[in-house]
Amino acid sequence: MEVSSAEAALSVSASSIRITDVTQDGDVLTFALTSQKLDSSAGVCVFRIYEDFDWLQQSLFSQENLPGLQGIIFPPLPSKALPSQSNTQTKALKQLGFLALGQDWQSYCKALEFYLQQVAAHPTLCKCKALDSFLFNSESPGKQRGRKGIFNRLSQAVEEMRKESHKDVDNFFQNERNKNTNLAALSKVATEKLLDVVMTEQKLALACGHFSTSLHLCVNQDDASAVAFSKVCLKLSDVIEAVKRNLEKVASNNLSTLGLGLDLESRYQEAEKEMLFRRTCKLIELETVKKGTEKAKANKREVLEAFQKAVEKEFNLISSVAKQEIERFHSSHVNVLKNFLIGWCEVQLNTAKEFAELYSQHLEACRNMYSE
Amino acid sequence: MAEEREPPPLPGVPEPQDAEDLFVSAASAMEDAERSLSPEDISSSSNGPKAEPMLLDHDPDDLFAEATEEVSLDSPERQMILSDGPSPAITPVTINPRADVFDRSPDQDEDEEENRDTFDIQISVSDPEKVGDGMNAYMAYKVTTKTSLSIFSRDEVCVKRRFSDFLGLHSKLASKYMHIGYIVPPAPEKSIVGQRLGRRSSAVTELDPDAKACLCCRYLLRTVKQPALLKDPDVLQFLESSELPRAVSTQALSGAGILRMVNKAADAVNKMTIKMNESDAWFEEKQQQFENLDVQLRKLHASVESLVFHRKELSVNTASFAKSAAMLGNSEDHTALSRALSQLAEVEEKIDQLHQDQACADFYLISELLGDYVRLITAVKGVFDQRMKTWAKCQDAQVMLQRKREAEAKLQHANKPDKLQQAKDEIREWEGKVQQGERDFEQISKNIRREVGRFEKDRVKDFRVVIIKYLESLVHTQQQLIKYWEAFLPEAKAIA
């Protein structure tokens, strides 16, 4: 993650935040977290469970005396992972997508790591005390519950849908909402399609494994020609085994780079959507109040006007924060995707080179063997 | 350069028995005799071939072995249907199913015999096209034969054949050669009953025309690889003559298929009732080996079919992802990112193409090879069964002879001179049959031994060729991938 100049005001170095380990105990995953304060060279290690992350997120949502809080695009927190045996892979995939794949929750940990880095790198959110206690308190802060956020996630209620398409007063925001709706949908689809590709790659690798094993079982030492044939089968078995490893590597590359990146992008677009929706709701509230004020009788009017002024002030504040956030989001999302694309390309290129070499070796060996 | 092989004589024309032409005349005489037997009635002829079977004992074994060498698959370097150069450079590869995958060229390393014809024949089956319409429509294939062999009248010949012609050819060859122990390549017929993900494999009538053409091509190549079959006039006629009499019995494929199934069932019953005293352990061992091999190959074939299926699925998913990435790129405002995403989509499309090519290689190289061998094993097992039938015939003849002798003894006692003569004649007749039966049995046993040896050698060669071709396709794919990724990297890095 990039280090922005705002970090100078922080106590923690965003890029130092790492999830170094994860252990599973039944249904509960415990994450080992290390980070470094800017003014010290020593790392601090704490242990957290998902509920702690959730507490952090809720704390961020419910900060008081922060003007325009609703205009902030909150870094998206991945859903809770349910590692129990009763949870089939299809369920896990539906819930977490790419983050459910990979070994030992690697992708999931990476996603949590990104989340924390983004919170720490955010100019406003990094100042939240909750972040400090989350990162550095040896005791898990999640024990203090009860501070529910002031807003919930977007629901699919029909009423919400209607609000979502409410026309904006500002062209900039109307454009942004349209684009965001489009991009959120497209990146979700792209993520799902890539997930399909990775799943198929894994299935294909499995099929190669079966074939390779079957070939291995064709060994027969009865006579000279059977021995010769067995050797050929074993050779083919080796080749297919290499193909299997190749596919596994390609799938894992896809997963750990582009897959992760698209997943993050997709969830971030959703986060922006939520922010825009909050602003739209505020707009609707403002317009409702305005209408109310206009219709009010003279004696109530002053009170209502004052109220309207307050709402308007809030709305403008939200809009100005939102504008900044949107710009920040645009540039950072380009950078994030760039890094993921470069990483993806490099790792796939390496794998291709590695296996080109391996197959060539096999080919040479076969040609030499068979020309005798 | 003395030519050892002369074209087989026309049917009915007796060839002078010349020392040098011993083999040729023996073979042709044998063919003459076989042709005199009606195809449907091969096992009931009582007097057997007229030719001196002794001649066959002059061991054609050596000649056969040499012939096998000649016809053998080329050393792998020359087998590339892919690139021109010896090294796997980045060359465009198309696994063209129409080209003959098993290109036969002379193996020039073994040069034991002095007077050798360079064996050189290439066959390709291509350009499937629909002829006629409605109920009478059929697929016609172009069969091209390029050869320098003298038994062919021209260097290059091109004919049109329909699918039933192939089946007809097989039917004729099977009736001529199977009962003497030759492993006749199985007809390019019904696919083996594989277990593709629990379902039975579709019949070949459901194969696409290209795959069918490839199947027919491999069938022809296997057929001409056998020196005896190569000389067979039916084979020559099939490859050379522009018009071919319609193979009626195979016309209704379903009809012929049912007939074959009925015959198979009858054979199975016979097999159960024939309890053969196997004096030769070799046959017992080999039969067991082939049983095992059959099971193994079927399993492998099913495995590969699953592989091909998943690879095709991967291709579809990759294409789908490419589209979604393209749409994402189009909607992105940032120019460089938009371009990079579009490039990503292009790379994925190209990768999709690679997947399709690889699936083709999987199928045509490995899957079809295994399928061919499963069918071949059936032919091998058939030949073993023929041997059992021959033995049974011999036994029956002996039993008859015994009866005739007993009858004669009785007649002698009863003193009926007129019937006695008849009895003596019959005894002589059956003595002849017994002798013939024993000779037949010996001959078929000998032939089978030789054929099995040839089969096992070829099997190793075929698989080796396939491995090399498959590896070449893998190397090529990887090199293409490297190219694509290396082209994409700067695009990704250029995102400001």
Side-chain angles (χ1 to χ4, degrees):
Chain A
M1 265 315 271
E2 280 201 322
V3 175
S4 69
S5 57
E7 270 191 36
L10 310 177
S11 64
V12 65
S13 148
S15 48
S16 74
I17 301 179
R18 295 271 181 274
I19 294 190
T20 52
D21 195 19
V22 58
T23 48
Q24 181 177 344
D25 183 16
D27 238 7
V28 179
L29 291 171
T30 307
F31 304 94
L33 189 56
T34 51
S35 54
Q36 222 173 348
K37 290 203 191 211
L38 277 175
D39 53 7
S40 97
S41 55
V44 179
C45 184
V46 295
F47 295 94
R48 298 287 180 257
I49 55 175
Y50 185 81
E51 279 69 17
D52 300 328
F53 284 85
D54 197 33
W55 169 87
L56 174 61
Q57 186 77 323
Q58 296 302 324
S59 307
L60 294 171
F61 285 165
S62 56
Q63 292 176 85
E64 286 157 359
N65 304 323
L66 217 56
L69 180 71
Q70 297 190 50
I72 293 181
I73 300 176
F74 288 87
L77 177 65
S79 312
K80 179 170 180 180
L82 297 167
S84 69
Q85 295 297 339
S86 61
N87 214 15
T88 60
Q89 204 198 31
T90 18
K91 258 207 249 171
L93 277 175
K94 240 186 173 171
Q95 185 203 21
L96 293 175
F98 266 108
L99 305 184
L101 293 180
Q103 284 185 319
D104 305 326
W105 301 102
Q106 289 292 331
S107 308
Y108 190 69
C109 288
K110 259 277 173 267
L112 288 177
E113 199 178 281
F114 281 139
Y115 163 72
L116 291 174
Q117 287 172 350
Q118 278 148 6
V119 172
H122 192 282
T124 314
L125 297 177
C126 65
K127 299 179 189 149
C128 181
K129 289 280 183 295
L131 181 63
D132 259 10
S133 52
F134 177 88
L135 289 175
F136 301 120
N137 275 9
S138 49
E139 194 187 287
S140 170
K143 304 236 162 64
Q144 326 160 28
R145 280 199 228 291
R147 295 186 66 190
K148 253 319 184 179
I150 53 177
F151 18 80
N152 301 310
R153 297 193 80 86
L154 271 178
S155 72
Q156 296 300 312
V158 174
E159 190 204 306
E160 307 284 351
M161 300 284 259
R162 191 173 49 81
K163 282 187 185 169
E164 213 179 20
S165 53
H166 183 91
K167 199 158 187 316
D168 211 297
V169 295
D170 185 331
N171 260 347
F172 171 79
F173 280 102
Q174 186 62 59
N175 279 341
E176 187 61 26
R177 279 163 63 191
N178 294 343
K179 275 193 283 186
N180 167 258
T181 306
N182 196 19
L183 278 177
L186 290 177
S187 53
K188 188 151 183 274
V189 166
T191 310
E192 285 167 0
K193 296 289 178 199
L194 183 60
L195 189 59
D196 286 342
V197 168
V198 169
M199 298 299 294
T200 313
E201 281 169 345
Q202 290 178 335
K203 275 194 263 184
L204 184 53
L206 211 61
C208 286
H210 285 151
F211 183 44
S212 170
T213 310
S214 300
L215 281 167
H216 217 83
L217 295 175
C218 284
V219 173
N220 178 342
Q221 307 282 348
D222 286 344
D223 54 48
S225 77
V227 166
F229 185 60
S230 299
K231 282 204 187 126
V232 168
C233 285
L234 282 176
K235 191 65 180 148
L236 187 57
S237 173
D238 287 344
V239 170
I240 300 291
E241 184 67 28
V243 170
K244 170 186 149 198
R245 285 201 314 272
N246 191 356
L247 284 161
E248 285 172 343
K249 198 80 187 31
V250 166
S252 130
N253 290 346
N254 278 339
L255 204 149
S256 62
T257 54
L258 190 59
L260 204 56
L262 281 177
D263 173 81
L264 186 69
E265 167 75 7
S266 167
R267 286 185 295 116
Y268 235 111
Q269 294 284 355
E270 281 300 314
E272 190 196 5
K273 200 176 199 189
E274 285 174 20
M275 182 279 280
L276 290 169
F277 182 70
R278 290 194 292 269
R279 180 185 161 278
T280 308
C281 288
K282 203 56 162 180
L283 174 63
I284 294 175
E285 188 190 331
L286 178 60
E287 287 177 353
T288 315
V289 167
K290 271 191 184 157
K291 281 200 198 121
T293 315
E294 276 162 26
K295 289 191 195 147
K297 298 210 175 94
N299 54 344
K300 296 251 172 89
R301 188 165 291 220
E302 227 180 275
V303 177
L304 283 172
E305 271 176 4
F307 182 56
Q308 184 186 313
K309 259 215 175 71
V311 174
E312 199 161 0
K313 183 168 171 216
E314 229 181 301
F315 176 70
N316 290 335
L317 216 47
I318 291 174
S319 296
S320 79
V321 167
K323 233 186 192 131
Q324 283 180 321
E325 284 285 283
I326 287 169
E327 267 148 30
R328 184 171 175 271
F329 172 60
H330 282 176
S331 70
S332 91
H333 111 108
V334 168
N335 257 319
V336 166
L337 274 180
K338 169 184 177 177
N339 288 335
F340 276 118
L341 285 173
I342 293 176
W344 175 63
C345 182
E346 282 175 346
V347 87
Q348 293 289 34
L349 179 58
N350 283 342
T351 301
K353 283 183 177 161
E354 179 190 337
F355 280 92
E357 182 57 37
L358 181 62
Y359 293 144
S360 294
Q361 282 172 4
H362 274 293
L363 184 57
E364 260 323 293
C366 281
R367 282 185 177 150
N368 290 339
M369 257 202 316
Y370 299 156
S371 64
E372 288 157 14
Chain B
M1 189 166 52
E3 289 209 311
E4 271 210 12
R5 282 166 192 49
E6 289 183 350
L10 296 168
V13 174
E15 185 79 5
Q17 297 285 341
D18 201 314
E20 289 159 298
D21 292 336
L22 222 48
F23 166 64
V24 174
S25 60
S28 66
M30 181 178 75
E31 284 163 9
D32 274 343
E34 302 311 61
R35 226 170 289 115
S36 71
L37 303 168
S38 66
E40 281 80 47
D41 192 20
I42 50 175
S43 53
S44 62
S45 148
S46 43
N47 278 320
K50 293 267 195 297
E52 284 297 312
M54 293 306 204
L55 293 172
L56 289 174
D57 285 345
H58 261 273
D59 230 349
D61 256 355
D62 283 324
L63 290 166
F64 271 126
E66 159 209 349
T68 308
E69 244 51 290
E70 274 190 300
V71 182
S72 70
L73 292 169
D74 199 13
S75 52
E77 280 100 69
R78 307 183 50 181
Q79 284 298 347
M80 290 198 255
I81 62 168
L82 309 175
S83 55
D84 294 330
S87 60
I90 300 176
T91 46
V93 171
T94 40
I95 305 269
N96 185 358
R98 277 184 276 283
D100 54 322
V101 177
F102 297 99
D103 191 7
R104 308 293 197 244
S105 305
D107 182 351
Q108 294 170 337
D109 294 346
E110 282 126 314
D111 204 8
E112 301 145 334
E113 301 294 314
E114 283 152 7
N115 305 323
R116 284 167 67 97
D117 257 344
T118 44
F119 184 87
D120 174 20
I121 180 166
Q122 289 175 336
I123 300 183
S124 68
V125 175
S126 56
D127 305 335
E129 62 177 345
K130 198 155 174 228
V131 176
D133 39 34
M135 283 297 292
N136 297 326
Y138 63 89
M139 274 299 200
Y141 300 89
K142 190 167 92 171
V143 179
T144 314
T145 311
K146 287 193 194 131
T147 176
S148 60
L149 290 176
S150 46
I151 51 172
F152 287 89
S153 51
R154 300 200 291 283
D155 278 351
E156 183 169 335
V157 101
C158 206
V159 294
K160 277 221 178 292
R161 294 286 176 256
R162 54 186 291 185
F163 192 63
S164 54
D165 294 336
F166 289 86
L167 300 181
L169 176 64
H170 165 76
S171 164
K172 286 188 199 149
L173 294 177
S175 64
K176 283 197 260 184
Y177 294 101
M178 258 192 83
H179 72 283
I180 47 173
Y182 282 76
I183 299 174
V184 173
E189 215 189 0
K190 223 164 12 112
S191 236
I192 61 144
V193 179
Q195 309 277 254
R196 203 190 95 174
L197 306 177
R199 293 188 303 126
R200 302 207 132 188
S201 247
S202 54
V204 96
T205 42
E206 290 174 37
L207 270 185
D208 69 88
D210 286 339
K212 231 168 158 175
C214 208
L215 190 60
C216 293
C217 183
R218 292 198 307 275
Y219 165 70
L220 286 177
L221 283 167
R222 287 220 160 83
T223 306
V224 300
K225 221 162 53 116
Q226 271 189 318
L229 295 183
L230 173 60
K231 290 188 184 21
D232 185 292
D234 281 323
V235 172
L236 291 172
Q237 184 191 36
F238 182 91
L239 290 173
E240 286 193 313
S241 65
S242 44
E243 284 301 318
L244 206 62
R246 282 292 309 284
V248 176
S249 64
T250 60
Q251 187 173 4
L253 283 175
S254 53
I258 290 176
L259 189 63
R260 261 178 274 275
M261 263 170 33
V262 168
N263 283 340
K264 267 199 204 131
D267 282 350
V269 171
N270 281 342
K271 220 156 104 175
M272 291 194 312
T273 53
I274 298 176
K275 279 275 148 50
M276 178 163 168
N277 292 336
E278 187 57 77
S279 51
D280 195 339
W282 185 91
F283 284 92
E284 222 174 289
E285 279 168 22
K286 280 298 167 191
Q287 259 187 298
Q288 190 54 50
Q289 278 181 19
F290 281 118
E291 284 294 329
N292 295 343
L293 188 61
D294 191 19
V295 168
Q296 285 170 341
L297 284 177
R298 281 175 195 267
K299 213 169 121 186
L300 289 176
H301 188 266
S303 251
V304 175
E305 287 204 310
S306 160
L307 211 145
V308 172
F309 174 74
H310 284 302
R311 205 179 293 267
K312 287 192 179 155
E313 195 189 344
L314 181 59
S315 158
V316 166
N317 287 344
T318 307
S320 186
F321 172 64
K323 278 207 197 84
S324 69
M327 284 178 65
L328 198 56
N330 283 343
S331 302
E332 177 58 54
D333 270 347
H334 190 274
T335 332
L337 180 60
S338 168
R339 192 173 53 235
L341 286 171
S342 303
Q343 296 283 51
L344 192 164
E346 272 180 39
V347 168
E348 287 294 318
E349 268 170 30
K350 289 185 193 152
I351 291 179
D352 167 30
Q353 190 54 51
L354 286 179
H355 285 317
Q356 286 180 35
D357 292 344
Q358 193 61 59
C360 238
D362 289 346
F363 180 72
Y364 282 108
L365 289 178
I366 301 187
S367 180
E368 289 286 83
L369 172 76
L370 289 170
D372 282 352
Y373 268 87
V374 170
R375 286 183 281 265
L376 266 170
I377 300 263
T378 313
V380 172
K381 291 209 274 191
V383 141
F384 276 88
D385 289 346
Q386 289 293 337
R387 179 172 168 272
M388 279 218 290
K389 274 197 196 159
T390 310
W391 180 84
K393 227 176 81 178
C394 189
Q395 291 299 102
D396 290 346
Q398 284 183 339
V399 164
M400 272 312 266
L401 179 62
Q402 188 58 27
R403 280 202 208 137
K404 296 295 179 194
R405 283 193 174 139
E406 283 168 4
E408 192 226 11
K410 274 199 205 137
L411 283 175
Q412 281 217 327
H413 245 64
N415 203 11
K416 289 187 185 158
D418 48 337
K419 287 220 177 119
L420 203 59
Q421 185 53 40
Q422 186 191 355
K424 280 201 191 324
D425 286 341
E426 283 181 354
I427 287 178
R428 232 190 333 272
E429 182 193 333
W430 280 97
E431 275 175 349
K433 283 191 188 173
V434 166
Q435 272 186 348
Q436 187 54 49
E438 283 169 352
R439 281 197 295 263
D440 285 345
F441 183 71
E442 243 180 72
Q443 191 52 50
I444 194 177
S445 301
K446 184 181 254 160
N447 284 346
I448 289 181
R449 276 178 182 269
R450 189 189 54 232
E451 286 285 285
V452 165
R454 187 177 64 85
F455 170 83
E456 286 177 337
K457 246 171 143 181
D458 286 347
R459 175 180 60 166
V460 171
K461 283 189 184 142
D462 277 355
F463 273 70
R464 281 177 176 176
V465 164
V466 157
I467 287 183
I468 296 224
K469 286 197 169 147
Y470 191 67
L471 277 170
E472 284 171 349
S473 82
L474 289 174
V475 169
H476 174 82
T477 302
Q478 291 304 117
Q479 287 173 335
Q480 288 296 98
L481 276 175
I482 290 174
K483 246 179 36 181
Y484 301 153
W485 292 124
E486 280 177 346
F488 180 70
L489 193 54
E491 291 289 332
K493 288 190 168 160
I495 303 172

